[in-house]
């Protein structure tokens, strides 16, 4: 036996054998260096199946006709059948942490399909037959119908693996996204090449390219192995720095041998020592930088996830508020309707005490309507469903229209209400009339609410930059500077305001601010301090 067995050894068959051995070494190397052990193990199994396939192919090609060729080829196809499930296992295990998401069903399917393929391989003549060429010593493989099952088997596993990788690609971030992208492309390219070179072309009688499969396989194993090691804890940039420093150091080391004098040698040694030191710090700083970047990327992704979650919750909350507010409004309409009918005496004369009680019911229900409307507005604003219909309107007209109602309210509170504007001017603005009315009425209502005595004045004027300014000036309880800063926030009320007027919700000004934002306008408050009155300003662009 011995060497006489390998009478057919060619450069190609040796190359294929070598690819197999190298593939195995790469697998073992990655396994020994990988911190994420599952990636390493799954890659090792893949590299092992690949190398066995290539080695057996090389052996088959090397042996002379009639010598163990069926044994080598059968075993080779058995190992080839391990590769596709191994690819899927690798894709599933990749970056999955320490635990591999196994399921017994998946393992059962993999084993069953492997057993089936073994039958396909071992049924004589079904997958292949070997014929000896009469004129040369070469052997030729003729494929049978089994080849279609084989091609389907490989394609199915490759497609599944690519789907798994794609899902991971979508979920990952930063350099892991890149790693998975490269692995995806490598596996796709490798599968296409091997299918063509080792199955499709031989089926049509072109057998000369059998060595391409192992070559591409080896290349892919190299690329993936490199990616796993480098991306996991080194990254490409670091590898480049590593390589660069090593190359310079090696060159300098070589230079040492070419010294011309002792001084020259000393200088060269010094330079080498400095380069080594600098290289060490360079590699270390790049590694730190990369580790920090990875950490930041990971945190950013986590933050983005939390943010999306919060947005979803916020949306659900807004929906809930909108729906509940809607349901609260209907019974309130009935309460308001009946209380005003009772107050008007439609159900008979009322005693003074009953009238007082009914008045309170009526007032409270009015307040409740305002609060519910604010809630509904907020829900709409936050879900982006607040509709605006813009038109050009004169602010002077809007305020004049509202004056009657507001004067009545002011009078009831014993206040004087004034409106100052220039008759000759027009104060045209492009606004959603209903919403700006709501804002102005809210400001005047507030001023009436928070002014125990004195006056409330509305002033309209055109600023020098052309903008229109509407101010509501009162002589009321005023605000300290902290209050001025926060009253436009949701649910924000000053302590003094709560003492003075218990029924407020702290929502009106927040809604007003949001409405003004959509108008490209501005709303703000001023006050000289507690007890010194307040000014609420509303600024809009002239239309
Ligand atoms: P509410 O009036 O229902 O509390 P708003 O959002 O309209 O809600 O007002 C928020 C807070 O701003 C009030 O609670 C009050 O502290 C303060 N505020 C509003 N208008 C005035 C005003 N004219 N004078 C003094 N404080 C005011």
């Amino acid at each position: 036996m011995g060497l006489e067995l390998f009478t057919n050894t060619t450069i190609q068959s040796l190359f294929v054998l070598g690819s197999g051995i190298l593939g195995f070494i790469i697998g073992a190397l990655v396994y020994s260096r990988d911190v994420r052990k599952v990636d390493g193990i799954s890659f090792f199994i893949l590299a092992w199946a690949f190398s066995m396939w290539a080695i057996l192919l090389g052996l088959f090609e090397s042996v002379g006709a009639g010598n163990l060729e069926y044994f080598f080829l059968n075993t080779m196809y058995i190992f080839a059948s391990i590769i596709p499930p191994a690819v899927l296992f690798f894709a599933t295990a990749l970056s999955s942490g320490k635990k591999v998401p196994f399921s017994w069903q998946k393992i059962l399917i993999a084993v069953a399909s492997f057993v089936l393929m073994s039958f396909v391989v071992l049924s004589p003549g079904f997958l292949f037959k070997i014929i000896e060429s009469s004129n040369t010593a070469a052997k030729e493989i003729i494929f049978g119908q089994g080849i279609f099952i084989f091609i389907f088997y490989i394609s199915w596993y490759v497609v599944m693996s690519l789907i798994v990788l794609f899902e991971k690609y979508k979920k990952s971030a930063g350099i892991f996204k890149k790693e998975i992208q490269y692995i995806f492309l490598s596996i796709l390219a490798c599968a296409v090449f091997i299918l063509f070179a080792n199955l499709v072309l031989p089926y049509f009688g072109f057998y000369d390219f059998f060595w391409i499969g192992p070559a591409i396989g080896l290349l892919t194993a190299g690329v993936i192995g490199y990616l796993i090691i480098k991306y996991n804890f080194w990254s490409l940039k670091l590898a480049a720095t590593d390589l660069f420093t090593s190359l310079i150091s090696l060159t300098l080391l070589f230079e040492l041998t070419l010294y011309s004098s002792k001084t020259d040698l000393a200088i060269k040694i010094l330079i080498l020592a400095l380069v080594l030191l600098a290289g060490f710090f360079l590699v270390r700083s790049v590694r730190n930088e990369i580790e920090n970047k990875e950490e930041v990327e990971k945190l950013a992704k986590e933050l983005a996830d939390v943010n999306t979650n919060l947005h979803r919750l916020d949306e659900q909350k807004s929906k809930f508020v909108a729906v509940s507010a809607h349901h609260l409004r209907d019974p309130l309409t009935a309460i308001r309707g009946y209380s005003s009918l009772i107050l008007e005496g439609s159900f008979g004369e009322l005693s003074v005490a009953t009238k007082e009680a009914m008045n309170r019911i009526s007032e409270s229900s009015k307040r409740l309507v305002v609060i519910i409307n604010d809630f509904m507005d907020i829900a709409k604003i936050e879900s982006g469903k607040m509709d605006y219909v813009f038109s050009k309107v004169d602010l002077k007209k809007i305020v004049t229209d509202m004056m009657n109602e507001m004067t009545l309210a002011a009078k009831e509170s014993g206040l004087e209400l004034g409106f100052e504007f220039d008759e000759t001017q027009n104060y045209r603005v492009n606004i959603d009339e209903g919403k700006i009315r709501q804002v102005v009425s809210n400001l005047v209502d507030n001023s009436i609410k928070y002014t125990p005595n004195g006056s409330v004045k509305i002033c309209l004027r055109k600023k020098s930059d052309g903008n229109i300014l509407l101010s509501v000036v009162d002589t009321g309880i005023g605000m300290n500077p902290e209050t001025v800063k926060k009253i436009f926030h949701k649910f924000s009320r000053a302590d003094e305001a709560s003492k003075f007027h218990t029924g407020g919700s702290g929502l009106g000004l927040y809604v007003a601010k949001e409405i003004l934002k959509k108008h490209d306008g501005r709303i703000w408050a001023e006050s000289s301090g507690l007890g010194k009155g307040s000014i609420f300003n509303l600024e809009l662009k002239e239309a």
Side-chain angles (χ1 to χ4, degrees):
M1 291 288 269
L3 283 174
E4 295 117 66
L5 185 69
F6 300 102
T7 49
N8 212 21
T9 308
T10 58
I11 292 187
Q12 287 151 335
S13 63
L14 277 179
F15 173 78
V16 169
L17 260 171
S19 304
I21 294 166
L22 269 177
F24 184 82
I25 293 173
I26 292 176
L29 216 77
V30 170
Y31 176 62
S32 69
R33 284 195 61 181
D34 186 24
V35 275
R36 297 190 317 212
K37 279 289 178 237
V38 272
D39 289 14
I41 294 170
S42 63
F43 180 72
F44 179 70
I45 293 174
L46 180 58
W48 164 77
F50 158 76
S51 65
M52 289 308 290
W53 166 62
I55 289 170
L56 285 156
L57 179 61
L59 288 176
F60 164 74
E61 288 296 329
S62 304
V63 291
N67 275 324
L68 290 174
E69 46 189 20
Y70 270 99
F71 169 76
F72 284 139
L73 211 55
N74 280 335
T75 333
M76 179 199 99
Y77 277 113
I78 298 280
F79 275 101
S81 314
I82 299 177
I83 298 176
V87 173
L88 183 58
F89 175 48
F90 169 69
T92 317
L94 187 71
S95 309
S96 62
K98 294 263 181 282
K99 280 182 280 146
V100 184
F102 269 133
S103 81
W104 286 110
Q105 291 100 308
K106 281 182 193 154
I107 296 176
L108 218 69
I109 291 173
V111 172
S113 63
F114 172 69
V115 172
L116 180 81
M117 287 320 292
S118 305
F119 276 114
V120 170
V121 172
L122 297 176
S123 313
F126 186 49
L127 181 62
F128 61 84
K129 272 200 299 257
I130 305 171
I131 54 164
E132 324 292 346
S133 263
S134 44
N135 45 358
T136 63
K139 305 171 289 290
E140 262 180 50
I141 299 175
I142 303 289
F143 283 114
Q145 295 305 310
I147 185 90
F148 295 111
I149 302 182
F150 210 82
I151 290 178
F152 173 76
Y153 174 78
I154 295 178
S155 311
W156 188 80
Y157 271 108
V158 169
V159 169
M160 291 308 287
S161 312
L162 292 179
I163 291 175
V164 168
L165 284 175
F166 187 65
E167 288 298 320
K168 286 193 177 180
Y169 172 77
K170 278 198 298 192
K171 281 193 206 124
S172 57
I175 58 163
F176 288 116
K177 211 175 176 84
K178 275 242 168 74
E179 175 192 13
I180 292 175
Q181 184 188 345
Y182 291 146
I183 291 181
F184 179 97
L185 292 176
S186 308
I187 289 183
L188 179 65
C190 179
V192 170
F193 268 111
I194 291 190
L195 270 177
F196 268 89
N198 293 69
L199 291 167
V200 177
L201 287 182
Y203 180 74
F204 292 109
F206 300 102
Y207 196 68
D208 293 343
F209 304 106
F210 73 94
W211 57 273
I212 288 185
I216 298 287
L218 177 66
L219 194 73
T220 313
V223 169
I224 294 180
Y226 175 79
L227 288 171
I228 292 179
I229 292 179
K230 293 302 172 192
Y231 271 110
N232 275 2
F233 48 124
W234 292 96
S235 105
L236 272 178
K237 196 171 165 190
L238 190 55
T241 323
D242 231 352
L243 192 74
F244 178 68
T245 335
S246 315
L247 276 180
I248 294 186
S249 311
L250 279 177
T251 320
L252 290 175
L253 203 66
F254 177 70
E255 276 269 298
L256 281 187
T257 59
L258 306 174
Y259 68 94
S260 52
S261 64
K262 273 191 182 154
T263 339
D264 187 29
L265 181 65
I267 292 174
K268 279 181 174 151
I269 290 176
L270 191 70
I271 293 176
L272 177 64
L274 284 176
V275 166
L276 281 176
L277 199 70
F280 171 76
F281 284 114
L282 182 67
V283 170
R284 208 172 67 163
S285 75
V286 172
R287 188 197 306 166
N288 280 347
E289 184 200 319
I290 286 161
E291 275 169 5
N292 289 344
K293 208 174 114 203
E294 275 173 23
E295 190 61 22
V296 169
E297 268 166 5
K298 212 176 107 213
L299 287 177
K301 174 134 180 33
E302 276 171 19
L303 207 65
D305 287 349
V306 171
N307 205 15
T308 339
N309 230 359
L310 280 178
H311 268 299
R312 225 190 28 240
L313 281 178
D314 208 42
E315 231 166 65
Q316 279 172 357
K317 180 215 70 191
S318 294
K319 245 185 233 157
F320 171 76
V321 171
V323 171
S324 346
H326 201 76
H327 289 307
L328 286 173
R329 231 173 27 175
D330 294 344
L332 253 184
T333 318
I335 296 174
R336 284 190 62 191
Y338 279 106
S339 53
S340 63
L341 280 177
I342 294 171
L343 275 171
E344 280 165 14
S346 305
F347 299 100
E349 208 47 40
L350 300 179
S351 69
V352 179
T354 320
K355 203 166 185 175
E356 167 120 346
M358 280 319 297
N359 258 326
R360 288 211 178 160
I361 292 176
S362 178
E363 276 309 307
S364 298
S365 54
K366 250 188 237 168
R367 274 213 313 266
L368 211 51
V369 169
V370 173
I371 293 176
I372 289 173
N373 283 341
D374 281 346
F375 269 122
M376 287 181 75
D377 279 347
I378 287 175
K380 273 195 220 151
I381 287 168
E382 290 181 351
S383 59
K385 290 200 179 107
M386 185 86 136
D387 293 324
Y388 290 84
V389 184
F390 287 90
S391 61
K392 293 195 173 69
V393 203
D394 194 330
L395 268 185
K396 183 172 64 194
K397 186 178 166 297
I398 291 190
V399 181
T400 318
D401 285 352
M402 295 164 73
M403 274 309 272
N404 272 347
E405 204 182 314
M406 295 189 299
T407 315
L408 206 70
K411 213 181 220 165
E412 276 174 10
S413 304
L415 301 169
E416 205 181 294
L417 183 74
F419 181 26
E420 274 178 18
F421 59 96
D422 186 343
E423 287 278 4
T424 57
Q425 285 279 9
N426 66 58
Y427 303 91
R428 275 166 71 81
V429 279
N430 190 20
I431 53 169
D432 181 317
E433 191 175 336
K435 302 225 165 44
I436 294 295
R437 259 175 200 274
Q438 178 186 339
V439 173
V440 176
S441 139
N442 187 262
L443 294 184
V444 178
D445 273 352
N446 275 353
S447 284
I448 295 175
K449 246 179 7 191
Y450 299 116
T451 305
N453 47 54
S455 66
V456 173
K457 204 165 59 188
I458 306 166
C459 306
L460 252 186
R461 74 181 175 89
K462 207 178 252 186
K463 284 175 59 192
S464 51
D465 60 6
N467 284 356
I468 312 285
L469 187 72
L470 184 148
S471 311
V472 181
V473 187
D474 65 41
T475 55
I477 61 170
M479 293 171 282
N480 58 33
E482 287 77 52
T483 308
V484 173
K485 262 188 243 154
K486 63 174 194 188
I487 45 171
F488 290 95
H489 297 167
K490 224 189 288 180
F491 300 113
S492 178
R493 303 199 70 207
D495 293 342
E496 306 76 43
S498 310
K499 276 182 227 146
F500 195 77
H501 203 285
T502 45
S505 64
L507 292 173
L509 290 181
Y510 170 75
V511 172
K513 193 183 81 188
E514 293 299 315
I515 291 177
L516 260 290
K517 255 193 221 164
K518 286 280 181 235
H519 283 79
D520 221 0
R522 209 155 71 92
I523 183 167
W524 74 101
E526 289 166 30
S527 173
S528 312
L530 279 179
K532 295 190 177 148
S534 320
I535 306 175
F536 280 81
N537 300 300
L538 196 153
E539 186 175 330
L540 287 160
K541 287 206 170 67
E542 185 184 27

